[in-house]
Amino acid sequence: MPSDLAISRAAARRPLEEVAADMGIGPHLLEPHGSAASKISLDAIDELRDRPRAKYVVVTAITSTPLGSGKTTTAVGLGQGFRHIDKLGIVAIRQPSMGPTFGIKGGAAGGGYAQVVPMEALNLHLTGDTHAVTAAHNLLSAMIGNHIHKGNRLGFDPHEITWRRVLDVNDRELRTIITGLGGPDDGNPFQSGFDISAASEVMALLSLCTSLRDLRERMGRIVVGYNRGGEPVTAEMLKAAGAMTAILKDAIKPNLMQTVEQTPVLVHSGPFGNIATGNSSVVADLIGIHAGDYLITEAGFGADIGAEKFFNIKCRASGLAPDAAVIVATVRDLKTHSNKYRVVAGRPLPPEMLAENPDDVIAGAANLRRQIANIRRHGVTPVIAVNAFPTDYDSEHQAIMDVAAEEGVRAAVSYHFTEGGRGAVELAEAVAEACAEPSSFHRLYPDELPLVDKIDVIAREMYGADGLDLSPLAARQLDKYERAGFGSLPVCIAKTHLSLSADPKIKGAPTGWRLPVREVRASIGAGFIYPICGDMRTMPGLSSAPAAERIDIDDNGEIVGLS
């Protein structure tokens, strides 16, 4: 089978004006950025408002291995599959971060014959949205430092500055830094650090806003620290929010691309799945929900993380209610959850893991059952997508189908990676049936529940924990946020994506453990409180053999080594 990059380059693409026309979007709403992508004006939200509402489908997964489950590939394949049953599926995904692209994971354009094209554009700069987020975030950092240097009129407590810097590169040496070491003319020394741009509150804010005005108001609400009286200091008080919004004036517009089968794809924003909200933008969905028969959006990592944040944070912001949820499951992921194998990113799978063994699949099924329950806990109908790999056996696929049958859940083996939309027809039919059922969608907790109780509900209901272990710092921070009036906000828990627990080494569906909450940050502009659980890094590092080592330019000026 050709490489993903070869498939991408061989794909026949339609003019994006034609792709947009299928969605009911006229050329007056498009802003071309070369042949790869076009920006869509936010005016499309109002122009499409009276069109029929699409069925709304979120794609999530069981707890994945470091190699991933193929959620983006499945979302793209499902969108293509609807074409084969005479329905228009619109796919909405995040823009990949260049940190993972040059790190262990590689790109996130899907793969095989179910990917977004051209993959080089999607995985690298695209239309510059992530760079705009980085610039807006770091402008605020600069204005904080300048304000203090020029007299500190707002009375910042130097030990209570919570706003760090961001960069779209994995760089562990920037996690903790000291700024302002050049002397009096170079600012004041402060301990700070860098997060990856995908973890920026500005990125989360961009993904959750509903309009340019909403973006501007959220910018003003960003809390960057506290004064000596313990009161929050905001970007509005620093007079930084207006300039930050100006930087993002074009970045707020979703990007239109297409799949290898010319299915429409909305690409917009890129908040990390385990660190941040992990979902593509609300404005993309507000356009896509009236542009086809089905809107398929992807939520990062397992249902305990990505789908939970989709239901309780994104749907709160958008006002949209999902009709069905697809849970991606793979043979290799379920075998990993049997606790018999150790899977390490960047290394081949253990040879014995590739042998036919449906019993190992069944042994790992507790995780799948938990994720099914997590979807049902929100009143949404789940569908299992068995993402087929060439190394799988029919007996192993059947084992997953048997588990789904025991749980009373629709399931389909999908061959979209090797066959494109034709290989996802059964999945598309199963999703269509699920969407035809009445939905009783509801969120996990009410707004008025105290913050610590919201975290506890998620830990118990989604992760299977027995409760919380708050550090003294986390307890003080939660108390501060309640007193500041932030208690009605939802919570966005940052934890490992490799386990239902906070320990990435623990597989399956563990019981008898407690969720450790190390610290809690406040993303008031984005509109959530952000607990950090366990050893969770907001700035990833590079591996011993990062993907960047394999990426180059050939003699024809073409990118090579991107995957």
Side-chain angles (χ1 to χ4, degrees):
M1 183 170 170
S3 69
D4 290 351
L5 191 54
I7 292 171
S8 173
R9 287 183 178 155
R13 287 186 277 141
R14 283 196 297 164
L16 288 170
E17 292 85 353
E18 295 181 11
V19 177
D22 289 348
M23 304 167 65
I25 295 174
H28 64 290
L29 296 171
L30 299 180
E31 299 173 11
H33 283 250
S35 62
S38 284
K39 286 284 186 186
I40 302 177
S41 168
L42 297 192
D43 290 342
I45 296 173
D46 287 331
E47 287 202 19
L48 298 176
R49 196 180 299 277
D50 294 333
R51 288 168 55 95
R53 180 190 180 280
K55 295 294 185 180
Y56 194 28
V57 181
V58 60
V59 177
T60 184
I62 65 171
T63 304
S64 66
T65 70
L67 305 177
S69 301
K71 289 185 306 302
T72 305
T73 306
T74 303
V76 172
L78 176 58
Q80 295 177 165
F82 277 119
R83 283 280 197 184
H84 292 261
I85 60 172
D86 297 322
K87 299 293 182 181
L88 177 59
I90 310 297
V91 180
I93 62 171
R94 291 172 291 165
Q95 182 180 349
S97 166
M98 288 200 294
T101 295
F102 291 113
I104 294 176
K105 182 180 178 182
Y113 290 97
Q115 61 171 303
V116 182
V117 295
M119 66 172 296
E120 306 103 300
L122 177 60
N123 284 309
L124 298 177
H125 307 285
L126 196 56
T127 54
D129 296 348
T130 300
H131 302 310
V133 166
T134 303
H137 183 115
N138 290 336
L139 172 63
L140 181 53
S141 301
M143 292 188 73
I144 294 168
N146 184 65
H147 179 89
I148 295 171
H149 183 67
K150 298 296 185 181
N152 196 9
R153 177 181 54 82
L154 294 173
F156 269 109
D157 182 341
H159 302 293
E160 291 288 343
I161 296 174
T162 57
W163 193 255
R164 291 156 56 91
R165 288 165 168 79
V166 297
L167 190 68
D168 195 29
V169 173
N170 290 0
D171 192 343
R172 63 173 53 82
E173 295 187 11
L174 294 177
R175 287 171 179 164
T176 302
I177 64 169
I178 303 294
T179 65
L181 293 181
D185 289 339
D186 296 319
N188 299 293
F190 293 110
Q191 181 172 320
S192 186
F194 277 80
D195 299 327
I196 194 153
S197 296
S200 166
E201 180 176 353
V202 176
M203 182 69 83
L205 189 156
L206 180 68
S207 74
L208 292 171
C209 71
T210 57
S211 66
L212 188 60
R213 173 48 52 189
D214 186 31
L215 177 68
R216 174 62 182 83
E217 292 173 354
R218 287 173 179 266
M219 284 292 189
R221 293 198 295 267
I222 291 173
V223 172
V224 299
Y226 296 83
N227 64 22
R228 294 185 181 92
E231 299 167 325
V233 179
T234 66
E236 195 67 61
M237 295 164 70
L238 284 163
K239 301 181 181 179
M244 294 170 69
T245 307
I247 291 173
L248 295 172
K249 180 176 178 292
D250 291 321
I252 192 177
K253 303 169 186 174
N255 305 292
L256 176 63
M257 298 184 73
Q258 60 189 292
T259 74
V260 291
E261 295 184 7
Q262 304 172 352
T263 301
V265 181
L266 298 170
V267 180
H268 198 218
S269 77
F272 255 28
N274 51 353
I275 296 171
T277 48
N279 284 266
S280 60
S281 78
V282 165
V283 292
D285 286 4
L286 292 178
I287 292 171
I289 200 69
H290 295 290
D293 299 305
Y294 295 86
L295 173 60
I296 304 117
T297 188
E298 176 202 349
F301 299 121
D304 57 303
I305 300 178
E308 185 275 314
K309 294 174 182 179
F310 171 82
F311 294 140
N312 295 296
I313 299 176
K314 184 177 180 180
C315 289
R316 256 184 174 90
S318 70
L320 300 176
D323 296 287
V326 174
I327 304 174
V328 180
T330 68
V331 165
R332 68 185 187 183
D333 283 355
L334 285 168
K335 284 185 174 181
T336 301
H337 287 294
S338 72
N339 283 306
K340 295 183 179 181
Y341 307 101
R342 183 168 179 262
V343 176
V344 179
R347 298 182 188 175
L349 292 173
E352 60 273 21
M353 191 175 174
L354 299 177
E356 183 174 8
N357 196 331
D359 290 342
D360 283 353
V361 175
I362 297 296
N367 187 274
L368 174 58
R369 296 181 196 275
R370 162 64 72 174
Q371 303 293 22
I372 291 171
N374 286 343
I375 297 299
R376 283 176 162 162
R377 179 66 179 80
H378 292 87
V380 178
T381 303
V383 177
I384 308 303
V386 182
N387 183 18
F389 283 71
T391 53
D392 298 345
Y393 293 87
D394 290 343
S395 63
E396 296 171 332
H397 290 162
Q398 187 59 50
I400 303 176
M401 298 292 284
D402 291 344
V403 172
E406 291 170 8
E407 294 292 324
V409 176
R410 293 179 180 85
V413 181
S414 190
Y415 300 92
H416 46 269
F417 183 86
T418 54
E419 299 178 16
R422 180 169 51 88
V425 166
E426 289 188 16
L427 177 60
E429 291 173 339
V431 171
E433 290 177 4
C435 287
E437 295 180 352
S439 175
S440 58
F441 170 65
H442 53 269
R443 292 188 281 270
L444 194 60
Y445 49 79
D447 292 346
E448 60 271 15
L449 197 68
L451 292 172
V452 68
D453 292 336
K454 290 172 182 173
I455 302 170
D456 188 71
V457 165
I458 295 173
R460 293 176 187 272
E461 297 281 346
M462 295 289 103
Y463 310 155
D466 288 344
L468 307 178
D469 287 331
L470 296 178
S471 72
L473 172 63
R476 290 195 304 272
Q477 290 168 327
L478 286 169
D479 181 63
K480 178 198 294 185
Y481 301 149
E482 291 281 4
R483 286 187 283 106
F486 305 150
S488 63
L489 296 177
V491 294
C492 178
I493 296 180
K495 78 170 189 71
T496 179
H497 61 287
L498 298 174
S499 173
L500 281 165
S501 75
D503 184 344
K505 297 186 293 295
I506 299 177
K507 304 303 178 184
T511 57
W513 63 280
R514 296 175 66 82
L515 182 70
V517 183
R518 190 180 81 217
E519 66 172 297
V520 185
R521 301 179 185 176
S523 295
I524 306 306
F528 55 75
I529 301 299
Y530 171 18
I532 300 177
C533 301
D535 187 20
M536 188 72 242
R537 299 289 190 181
T538 53
M539 167 58 86
L542 292 171
S543 65
S544 56
E549 294 180 355
R550 303 184 293 275
I551 297 171
D552 207 335
I553 297 291
D554 66 16
D555 291 340
N556 297 317
E558 298 281 2
I559 295 172
V560 295
L562 188 64
S563 63

